[in-house]
Amino acid sequence: MKVLFIAHSHRDSYLPFSGGFIYEQALALQKNGNDVSMVAVNLISLKSIVKYKKIDFGYREFSDNQISQMVYQIPSIPFMKGLNRWIRNKLLIRLIKKNITKNGLPQIAHVHVFYSGKAAIWLKNKHSIPYIITEHFSVFAQKLSNKNELAFAQNVYKNAASCIGVSNIFCEYISRKFNIEFNFVPNTVNVDLFEISKEKEMKSEIRLISVGSLTKNKNHEMLIRAIAKVSANVRLQIVGDGILKQHLQNLVMDLGLEDKISFFGLATQQELVLLLQKSDIFVLSSKYETFGVVIIEAMACGLPIVSTLCGGPQSIITDSSLGELCKQTEKDLAHTIDKVINTKYDANLIRDYVIQNYASKAFAQKIECIYKSVIQSSEVEL
C-alpha cells in the first residue's frame, strides 16, 4: 500500500527525539512491504531558540530507509495557537502537493496528532484520499486545550475514516469526550536495537533508571522524595532535560541524596540502550501518559517496570510478571520499588512479551488491517 504519514513533528533539529515514535511506525510499515512517505512541520518555540542558541529554519528533505521525508521547520508564534495551527496546515498542504508530485497519490493518509488534521481534510476533499488518525497527545486529559482546539479536533476526528488511541484508558476517555469511537493500537519499538545485555555486572546496589523530560507532568519530584523512603540500597539515574532541572538538582542536595541520585542529561538512542542495559529496574512517575514508549524500550531490554497509575502504562503492565503499578504518592511509589526489588523477574519473558505485542511486525499487521478496510470502503463509496 502507498501510505502518506502527516506528522506533527519529525527530525526536529532542536529536539532530536521529537516524533521519533511516529517514524518508528513508518519504518515498521515500510519493512512490512508498504510504500511510506512522510510530511511534517516542526514548530520551534522561542524557549528552544533561546536555550539552544541557534536559528535553523526552512525546508529540508530526507530519504533514508527508503522513506521519503519532507519537513518544514519554522518558529512558533508565542500565545497564538490558532495562527500556528493555520500556518502549520498551510505548509503541510504545500508539502503534500510536493510529495504527490514526487511520489504520486497515496492510497491512504495517516495523521499523527490532531494539530495536523486540516491538511488531511484538504487531501480528502481534493483527491478523495481517506485518512485515519492516531492521537498521541494528552492535552485533553490534562485540560490544556481551549474551546477552539476542541472544535478543531472534533472536526478532524469526525472526518477521519478511523480514529486510533495508543492506550485503552486514553481511547475510553477521548471516545467519551468527542462521542467518536477510538480503537486501541499501541505504539511500536525497535526490538532489534533495544535488547537484553549479554554481559551482567556484579553490583553492590540496585540500579534504577527513569527517562523523561524534566517537567511537572513527569513528576520527578515525587520520585526523588520516594527514593529517600526506599529501604533497599539503590541508585537512581534520571535521563532527560527540561525546565525543572535546577529545581530537581537542588531538591536532591536538600535531601542529601547526592550519593543515590544522578542526572545524566539528554541521551542519544545508542546511549539510552546502554543505560537501560546497565540498569535493573525502570521507574515511571508521571501524572499522565497516553502510552509510554520508553517503558516498552526498557522492557525490550528485559527490565521490570515500576509505574504510577497514569493512563497508558495500565495497557502495558497487564501482569505482575512484567512489573507493578502504584498510586501517585511518595509512600506507595517507594513501597512498590521495594516490592519489585524483592521479586524475581524473567528478563527473557519480559522481552518476549514486547516482541509479541509491540515489535514492528505485530504493529504493522494491526495497522494494515485498518488501512485495507478503509481503502476498500472508500473504493465502494466511489
Side-chain angles (χ1 to χ4, degrees), residues 3 6 28 43 55 79 104 123 158 236 246 272 293 295 324 339 358 375:
V3 184
I6 303 175
L43 284 170
I55 296 177
F79 312 112
L123 180 62
K158 181 182 69 177
L236 168 68
Q246 191 61 57
L272 179 57
V293 170
I295 291 179
E324 297 286 343
K339 180 180 179 180
Y358 304 103
I375 291 169

Side-chain angles (χ1 to χ4, degrees), residues 174-193:
I174 202 168
S175 294
R176 287 195 307 270
K177 189 169 188 67
F178 291 97
N179 197 28
I180 293 172
E181 183 182 3
F182 276 74
N183 297 302
F184 169 45
V185 179
N187 283 316
T188 183
V189 68
N190 186 348
V191 295
D192 296 327
L193 178 63

